[in-house]
């Protein structure tokens, strides 16, 4: 059994979206530290969806499955070479991020699975996090960097 | 987002506060100005920060890098549980030396 929640936020109140995603993940049984990083990843992706769509509109659909929480974000926007952007690695030159561009590398480092597709001028990103992960985030066990 | 500055001996403490989600982050230009003034021991107090977006984090990482290149050092004080988790997940805890209080961070330079 699963259920879905649709969230429509705006650029001015992004912290509320991050708080709401975190709250829903905790209510669905996700560990605090996993909910923290998933809320950051989803909030970041949704913020980008809002910022880069022509009318600053994007929908976030959270699907709560038995073992996994999935976040789907779709918006009209320019094409992104998502696959070519590397997952964050602490050995990279940090100066490249002084004015941004850390969003996608960070998202890739924080979730268990990420899928990006583009169709009819729309970008869609689907982020997944396992609810009952035995990996200890505070030991960096989800990150293979 | 606000940055306030205070001096504790040779160490400059930058207190960040306000919304750090998807905002233009001024910490890197601020730290570069400190380097130009010869202030190369910096503590960033994150006690008033709840969430941290990629723009803010990227600017802080560039600040760390600029200080290191200038033979200076940047340390973190008061990170929330959420920020600590973010740092661990991105393995940044190996880069950013973190302390529970500003005084501990300042004293670690001695």
């Amino acid at each position: 059994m699963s259920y879905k929640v649709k969230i429509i936020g705006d650029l001015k109140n992004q912290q509320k979206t991050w708080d709401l995603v975190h709250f829903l993940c905790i209510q669905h049984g996700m560990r605090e530290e996993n909910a923290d990083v998933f809320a950051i990843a989803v909030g970041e992706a949704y913020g980008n969806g809002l910022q880069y769509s022509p009318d600053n509109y994007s929908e976030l659909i959270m699907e709560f499955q038995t073992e996994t929480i999935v976040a789907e974000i779709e918006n009209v926007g320019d094409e992104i070479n998502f696959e070519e952007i590397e997952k964050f690695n602490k050995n990279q030159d940090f100066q490249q991020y002084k004015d941004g561009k850390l969003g996608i590398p960070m998202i890739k480092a924080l979730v268990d699975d990420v899928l990006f597709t583009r169709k009819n001028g729309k970008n869609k990103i689907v982020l997944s996090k396992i609810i009952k992960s035995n990996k200890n985030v505070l030991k960096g066990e989800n990150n293979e960097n | 987002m606000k940055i306030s500055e205070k001096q504790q001996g040779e160490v400059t403490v930058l207190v960040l506060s306000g919304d750090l989600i998807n905002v233009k982050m001024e910490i890197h230009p601020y730290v570069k100005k400190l380097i130009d003034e010869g202030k190369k021991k910096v503590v960033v107090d994150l006690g008033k920060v709840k969430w941290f977006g990629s723009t803010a984090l990227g600017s802080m990482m560039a600040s760390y890098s600029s200080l290191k290149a200038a033979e200076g050092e940047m340390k973190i004080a008061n990170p929330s549980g959420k920020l600590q988790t973010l740092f661990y997940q991105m393995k940044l805890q190996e880069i950013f030396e973190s302390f529970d209080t500003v005084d501990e961070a300042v004293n670690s330079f001695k």
Side-chain angles (χ1 to χ4, degrees):
Chain A
M1 182 186 167
S2 70
Y3 62 95
K4 290 184 178 182
V5 175
K6 182 194 281 188
I7 299 169
I8 302 173
D10 63 58
L11 277 172
K12 290 182 181 173
N13 296 291
Q14 289 190 63
Q15 185 164 319
K16 288 181 182 173
T17 304
W18 293 45
D19 287 339
L20 181 57
V21 171
H22 183 265
F23 173 79
L24 291 170
C25 290
I26 293 290
Q27 293 301 307
H28 205 72
M30 188 175 271
R31 279 164 44 161
E32 178 78 29
E33 62 269 28
N34 284 330
D36 288 344
V37 294
F38 195 53
I40 291 170
V42 172
E44 186 73 33
Y46 187 56
N48 286 338
L50 288 168
Q51 188 175 352
Y52 296 112
S53 66
D55 51 1
N56 295 135
Y57 181 85
S58 177
E59 293 182 355
L60 163 62
I61 296 173
M62 301 285 300
E63 182 173 0
F64 298 86
Q65 302 172 352
T66 307
E67 296 182 351
T68 307
I69 299 177
V70 178
E72 183 180 305
I73 296 149
E74 188 174 58
N75 64 282
V76 175
D78 293 337
E79 191 164 1
I80 305 167
N81 293 322
F82 191 87
E83 300 299 331
E84 291 177 15
I85 299 173
E86 285 183 32
K87 178 177 168 180
F88 174 75
N89 181 321
K90 65 178 168 49
N91 298 317
Q92 292 169 334
D93 177 9
F94 289 177
Q95 290 297 330
Q96 69 181 300
Y97 300 126
K98 65 182 179 183
D99 297 316
K101 298 182 180 174
L102 180 60
I104 292 172
M106 185 170 98
I107 289 165
K108 286 184 173 181
L110 298 182
V111 299
D112 290 324
D113 193 33
V114 56
L115 177 69
F116 178 84
T117 55
R118 180 172 172 82
K119 193 175 179 182
N120 299 329
K122 287 185 174 181
N123 296 321
K124 184 161 86 173
I125 184 167
V126 181
L127 309 175
S128 304
K129 191 85 176 166
I130 298 167
I131 295 165
K132 298 287 184 187
S133 174
N134 290 323
K135 292 173 182 174
N136 189 335
V137 170
L138 290 178
K139 291 181 180 173
E141 289 178 2
N142 270 5
N143 190 338
E144 293 168 357
N145 289 335
Chain B
M1 197 256 330
K2 281 185 184 173
I3 302 175
S4 59
E5 177 186 335
K6 56 186 177 183
Q7 202 67 30
Q8 287 190 215
E10 289 185 337
V11 181
T12 306
V13 179
L14 299 180
V15 184
L16 306 190
S17 58
D19 181 6
L20 291 179
I21 296 174
N22 214 4
V23 292
K24 185 169 168 56
M25 182 63 163
E26 303 295 348
I27 187 171
H28 184 243
Y30 203 108
V31 165
K32 288 197 79 173
K33 180 181 70 94
L34 292 178
I35 292 170
D36 291 342
E37 293 170 358
K39 296 174 179 175
K40 298 178 184 177
K41 294 179 180 177
V42 176
V43 169
V44 180
D45 181 359
L46 297 175
K48 295 179 179 175
V49 176
K50 184 177 181 184
W51 295 108
F52 219 67
S54 68
T55 312
L57 183 59
S59 187
M60 206 166 79
M61 288 160 49
S63 301
Y64 168 88
S65 171
S66 294
L67 277 163
K68 193 177 175 188
E71 298 182 342
E73 213 170 342
M74 186 181 90
K75 301 188 182 191
I76 304 296
N78 286 323
S80 68
K82 294 183 191 319
L83 297 187
Q84 286 186 52
T85 306
L86 175 65
F87 293 159
Y88 270 90
Q89 182 73 7
M90 296 180 73
K91 298 218 167 184
L92 288 172
Q93 90 284 3
E94 297 169 17
I95 308 288
F96 297 147
E97 200 176 351
S98 292
F99 297 86
D100 291 339
T101 67
V102 169
D103 286 343
E104 283 178 45
V106 169
N107 290 333
S108 72
F109 281 102
K110 294 171 184 171

